[in-house]
Amino acid sequence: MSYKGFDLEGRVAVVVGGTSGIGQTIGRGLAEAGADVISTGRRAELVDAAAQEIEAFGRRTLRICSDVLDRSSLQMLLDAAVAEFGKVDILVNAAGRTKRTPFLEVEDKEWNDILDTNLNGAYRVCQVFGRHMVGRKYGRIINIASLTSFLGMHEVAAYAASKSGLAGLTRTLAIEWARYGVCVNAIAPGVFRTALNDKLLDGPRGQELLLRTPMKRFGKVEELIGSAIFLASEAASFVTGTILMVDGGFLSSGVNQ
């Protein structure tokens, strides 16, 4: 008899920041595992393209734009999902931005823009959807953390501050909402090639990151799907407040040569 704990049939997922990169890939993976998935972002053409991918798996979806800077758009997203599907079981926070700048040259706008997307955006999304989940006494929230949630990296102070804050937010919400059946966890990807870091990985910094990764390669975004399905499923019903590393051994690494 096969184990059914990873089956997401009948579940409804919302992936915020789900129209590109890691979020888009996780949305496809949740659909393949059986969930109906709403992948949302700011650009209508990308929302439509993501919806077509979900529908190709025979799953239901909605075409709704949202912006993590705009709480009203997130509330409209939740309301539309509940009106269509009756609930939201799974939330993935994947919206993010970064920029490499020496700290002494970081201006207020750059700092605030990065924190407002990566950390304050997650605060808004978790508050809007968390209220629904707490009320239902069921939910699975998956935030996207980072290696910089745990260690420093050169010239990305704002990004590191936002992702360190996101790790703390994940743990705190897990404690507050455990009694309501809402599990809050995060995935911390190692070095994965995405549109956010493509140029960086082609330079000297990419080579240093490879040197520090025991598997000696960058991750493929598809390799994040299994951890997302696990955290979204009943297989992880007693897992909360955890940040799951998917990093090719990066954080465990000492001397590699």
Side-chain angles (χ1 to χ4, degrees):
M1 183 173 65
S2 61
Y3 178 59
K4 300 294 185 182
F6 297 104
D7 186 5
L8 300 182
E9 190 76 34
R11 299 299 185 191
V12 177
V14 171
V15 184
V16 178
T19 58
S20 63
I22 288 171
Q24 184 178 16
T25 301
I26 288 176
R28 287 199 304 264
L30 296 178
E32 193 169 6
D36 295 319
V37 180
I38 303 168
S39 290
T40 182
R42 292 179 297 172
R43 295 170 55 184
E45 66 274 20
L46 296 183
V47 169
D48 182 63
Q52 291 180 43
E53 290 183 337
I54 302 305
E55 290 168 341
F57 290 105
R59 309 303 174 195
R60 298 178 297 165
T61 188
L62 292 174
R63 288 162 168 79
I64 302 179
C65 294
S66 67
D67 185 346
V68 298
L69 306 184
D70 180 1
R71 180 183 291 269
S72 65
S73 77
L74 299 171
Q75 187 63 54
M76 287 188 290
L77 172 64
L78 172 62
D79 292 345
V82 172
E84 181 69 21
F85 301 115
K87 61 178 181 174
V88 173
D89 301 297
I90 301 159
L91 170 69
V92 180
N93 271 312
R97 65 187 300 174
T98 188
K99 184 179 180 184
R100 182 177 179 181
T101 307
F103 180 69
L104 294 179
E105 299 175 16
V106 176
E107 297 182 354
D108 285 358
K109 184 179 187 310
E110 179 181 324
W111 179 273
N112 291 333
D113 285 350
I114 291 172
L115 265 74
D116 208 18
T117 296
N118 298 355
L119 181 56
N120 297 340
Y123 145 71
R124 296 183 192 98
V125 175
C126 285
Q127 199 168 64
V128 169
F129 284 84
R131 193 181 307 277
H132 168 74
M133 292 177 172
V134 166
R136 291 186 62 230
K137 293 185 168 50
Y138 182 88
R140 300 286 184 266
I141 296 176
I142 304 169
N143 295 320
I144 303 300
S146 165
L147 292 175
T148 62
S149 300
F150 301 94
L151 48 77
M153 288 194 177
H154 195 55
E155 296 181 344
V156 287
Y159 183 77
S162 70
K163 291 299 185 177
S164 297
L166 185 61
L169 179 65
T170 298
R171 288 187 287 264
T172 299
L173 295 183
I175 298 308
E176 284 195 28
W177 294 347
R179 71 190 70 182
Y180 302 110
V182 179
C183 297
V184 186
N185 296 288
I187 297 169
V191 188
F192 287 74
R193 186 180 290 275
T194 70
L196 280 176
N197 64 13
D198 199 43
K199 291 182 180 179
L200 180 146
L201 296 187
D202 287 332
R205 188 163 182 170
Q207 294 306 305
E208 180 180 355
L209 291 167
L210 278 178
L211 181 66
R212 293 170 180 264
T213 302
M215 287 191 175
K216 301 305 180 189
R217 65 175 177 85
F218 300 133
K220 303 173 185 177
V221 287
E222 293 77 12
E223 291 175 301
L224 295 168
I225 291 174
S227 54
I229 291 172
F230 167 64
L231 292 175
S233 73
E234 288 307 294
S237 58
F238 201 57
V239 178
T240 197
T242 292
I243 301 178
L244 179 57
M245 304 306 306
V246 186
D247 68 348
F250 193 105
L251 280 185
S252 296
S253 175
V255 176
N256 286 320
Q257 301 292 328

